[in-house]
Coordinates of all heavy atoms in Angstrom, one line a residue:
V1 N 0.8 -1.2 0.0 CA -0.1 0.0 0.0 C 0.8 1.2 0.0 O 0.6 2.2 -0.8 CB -1.0 0.0 1.3 CG1 -1.7 1.3 1.2 CG2 -1.9 -1.2 1.2
L2 N 1.9 1.1 0.9 CA 2.8 2.4 0.9 C 3.5 2.6 -0.4 O 3.7 3.8 -0.9 CB 3.8 2.3 2.1 CG 4.9 3.3 2.1 CD1 4.3 4.6 2.4 CD2 5.9 3.0 3.3
M3 N 4.0 1.5 -0.9 CA 4.7 1.7 -2.2 C 3.8 2.2 -3.4 O 4.2 3.0 -4.3 CB 5.3 0.3 -2.6 CG 6.5 -0.1 -1.7 SD 7.0 -1.8 -1.9 CE 7.3 -2.1 -3.6
L4 N 2.6 1.7 -3.3 CA 1.6 2.2 -4.4 C 1.5 3.7 -4.3 O 1.3 4.5 -5.2 CB 0.4 1.4 -4.3 CG -0.6 1.5 -5.5 CD1 -0.1 1.0 -6.7 CD2 -1.9 0.8 -5.1
L5 N 1.3 4.1 -3.0 CA 1.1 5.6 -2.7 C 2.4 6.4 -3.1 O 2.3 7.5 -3.5 CB 0.8 5.7 -1.2 CG -0.5 5.3 -0.6 CD1 -0.6 5.4 0.9 CD2 -1.7 5.9 -1.4
G6 N 3.6 5.7 -2.8 CA 4.7 6.4 -3.2 C 4.8 6.7 -4.7 O 5.3 7.7 -5.2
D7 N 4.4 5.7 -5.5 CA 4.4 5.8 -7.0 C 3.2 6.8 -7.5 O 3.6 7.6 -8.4 CB 4.1 4.3 -7.6 CG 5.3 3.9 -8.3 OD1 6.4 4.6 -8.4 OD2 5.2 2.8 -8.9
K8 N 2.2 6.8 -6.8 CA 1.1 7.4 -7.4 C 0.9 8.9 -6.9 O 0.5 9.8 -7.5 CB -0.3 6.7 -7.1 CG -0.5 5.4 -7.5 CD -0.1 5.4 -9.1 CE -0.4 3.9 -9.6 NZ -0.1 3.8 -11.1
L9 N 1.6 9.1 -5.6 CA 1.3 10.4 -5.0 C 2.6 11.1 -5.0 O 2.8 12.2 -4.2 CB 0.7 10.3 -3.6 CG -0.6 9.7 -3.6 CD1 -1.1 9.6 -2.0 CD2 -1.7 10.5 -4.3
R10 N 3.7 10.6 -5.6 CA 5.0 11.4 -5.3 C 5.0 12.7 -5.8 O 4.3 13.1 -6.7 CB 6.1 10.5 -6.2 CG 6.0 10.6 -7.7 CD 7.0 9.9 -8.4 NE 6.9 9.8 -9.9 CZ 6.1 9.0 -10.6 NH1 5.4 8.1 -10.2 NH2 6.3 9.2 -11.9
T11 N 5.7 13.6 -5.1 CA 5.7 15.0 -5.4 C 6.7 15.4 -6.5 O 7.4 14.6 -7.0 CB 6.2 15.7 -4.1 OG1 7.5 15.4 -3.8 CG2 5.2 15.4 -3.0
K12 N 6.7 16.5 -7.0 CA 7.5 17.1 -7.8 C 8.9 16.8 -7.6 O 9.2 17.1 -6.4 CB 7.3 18.6 -8.3 CG 8.1 19.2 -9.3 CD 8.0 20.6 -9.4 CE 8.9 21.2 -10.5 NZ 8.7 22.7 -10.7
T13 N 9.8 16.2 -8.5 CA 11.2 16.0 -8.1 C 12.0 17.3 -7.9 O 12.0 18.1 -8.7 CB 11.8 15.1 -9.4 OG1 11.2 14.1 -9.6 CG2 13.3 15.0 -9.0
I14 N 12.6 17.4 -6.6 CA 13.3 18.4 -6.2 C 14.8 18.0 -6.1 O 15.7 18.8 -5.9 CB 12.8 19.2 -5.0 CG1 12.7 18.2 -3.8 CG2 11.4 19.9 -5.3 CD1 12.2 19.0 -2.5
S15 N 15.1 16.6 -6.1 CA 16.2 16.0 -5.7 C 16.6 15.0 -6.8 O 16.4 13.8 -6.6 CB 16.3 15.5 -4.3 OG 16.0 16.4 -3.3
P16 N 16.9 15.4 -8.0 CA 17.2 14.4 -9.1 C 18.5 13.6 -8.9 O 18.7 12.6 -9.5 CB 17.3 15.3 -10.4 CG 17.7 16.6 -9.8 CD 17.0 16.8 -8.4
T17 N 19.4 14.2 -7.9 CA 20.6 13.3 -7.6 C 20.8 13.2 -6.2 O 20.2 13.9 -5.4 CB 21.8 14.2 -8.3 OG1 22.0 15.4 -7.6 CG2 21.7 14.4 -9.8
L18 N 21.7 12.2 -5.7 CA 22.1 12.1 -4.4 C 22.5 13.4 -3.7 O 22.2 13.7 -2.5 CB 23.1 11.1 -4.1 CG 22.6 9.6 -4.1 CD1 23.8 8.6 -4.1 CD2 21.7 9.3 -3.1
D19 N 23.4 14.2 -4.4 CA 23.9 15.4 -3.7 C 22.9 16.5 -3.5 O 23.3 17.5 -3.1 CB 25.0 15.9 -4.7 CG 26.3 14.9 -4.6 OD1 26.6 14.6 -3.4 OD2 26.9 14.5 -5.6
Q20 N 21.7 16.3 -4.1 CA 20.6 17.5 -3.8 C 19.6 17.0 -2.8 O 18.6 17.8 -2.6 CB 20.0 17.7 -5.2 CG 20.8 18.4 -6.1 CD 20.2 18.4 -7.6 OE1 20.0 17.4 -8.2 NE2 20.1 19.6 -8.1
I21 N 19.9 15.9 -2.1 CA 18.9 15.5 -1.1 C 19.2 16.4 0.2 O 20.4 16.6 0.5 CB 19.1 14.0 -0.5 CG1 18.5 13.1 -1.6 CG2 18.5 13.7 0.7 CD1 18.7 11.7 -1.5
S22 N 18.3 17.0 0.7 CA 18.3 17.8 1.9 C 18.3 17.1 3.2 O 18.0 15.9 3.2 CB 17.2 18.9 2.0 OG 16.0 18.2 2.3
Y23 N 18.7 17.7 4.2 CA 18.8 17.0 5.7 C 17.3 16.7 6.1 O 17.0 15.7 6.6 CB 19.3 18.1 6.6 CG 20.9 18.3 6.4 CD1 21.2 19.7 6.4 CD2 21.8 17.3 6.2 CE1 22.8 19.9 6.2 CE2 23.0 17.4 5.9 CZ 23.6 18.8 6.1 OH 24.9 19.0 5.9
K24 N 16.3 17.6 5.7 CA 14.9 17.3 6.2 C 14.5 16.1 5.3 O 13.8 15.2 6.0 CB 14.1 18.6 5.6 CG 12.6 18.3 6.1 CD 11.8 19.6 5.6 CE 10.3 19.3 6.0 NZ 9.4 20.5 5.6
Q25 N 14.8 16.0 4.1 CA 14.4 14.8 3.3 C 15.1 13.5 3.9 O 14.4 12.5 4.0 CB 14.9 14.9 1.8 CG 14.1 15.7 1.0 CD 14.6 15.8 -0.4 OE1 15.6 16.5 -0.6 NE2 14.0 15.2 -1.4
A26 N 16.5 13.6 4.3 CA 17.0 12.6 4.9 C 16.5 12.1 6.0 O 16.1 10.9 6.3 CB 18.5 12.8 5.1
F27 N 16.1 12.9 7.0 CA 15.5 12.6 8.3 C 14.0 12.0 8.0 O 13.5 10.9 8.7 CB 15.2 13.8 9.2 CG 14.6 13.5 10.5 CD1 15.4 12.9 11.6 CD2 13.4 13.9 10.9 CE1 14.8 12.5 12.8 CE2 12.7 13.6 12.1 CZ 13.6 12.9 13.0
T28 N 13.2 12.6 7.1 CA 12.0 12.1 6.7 C 11.9 10.7 6.3 O 11.2 9.8 6.6 CB 11.1 12.9 5.8 OG1 11.2 14.4 6.2 CG2 9.7 12.5 5.5
I29 N 12.9 10.4 5.4 CA 13.1 9.1 4.8 C 13.4 8.1 6.0 O 13.0 6.9 6.0 CB 14.2 9.1 3.7 CG1 13.9 9.8 2.5 CG2 14.6 7.6 3.4 CD1 14.8 10.1 1.4
G30 N 14.3 8.6 6.9 CA 14.6 7.9 8.2 C 13.4 7.3 8.9 O 13.3 6.3 9.4

């Protein structure tokens, strides 16, 4: 269910590469 939501509800890409991931994103992914 979560993976389906991730595919269907993903937001606009703001981090196309690893070096553009923010600290907030990293913690949220955690």
Side-chain angles (χ1 to χ4, degrees):
V1 173
L2 174 62
M3 289 165 56
L4 194 61
L5 291 174
D7 249 2
K8 302 303 180 183
L9 301 180
R10 65 183 185 273
T11 60
K12 179 181 178 181
T13 299
I14 58 175
S15 303
T17 69
L18 276 175
D19 289 316
Q20 291 170 301
I21 288 181
S22 68
Y23 292 132
K24 181 180 179 180
Q25 281 177 292
F27 182 73
T28 304
I29 293 172

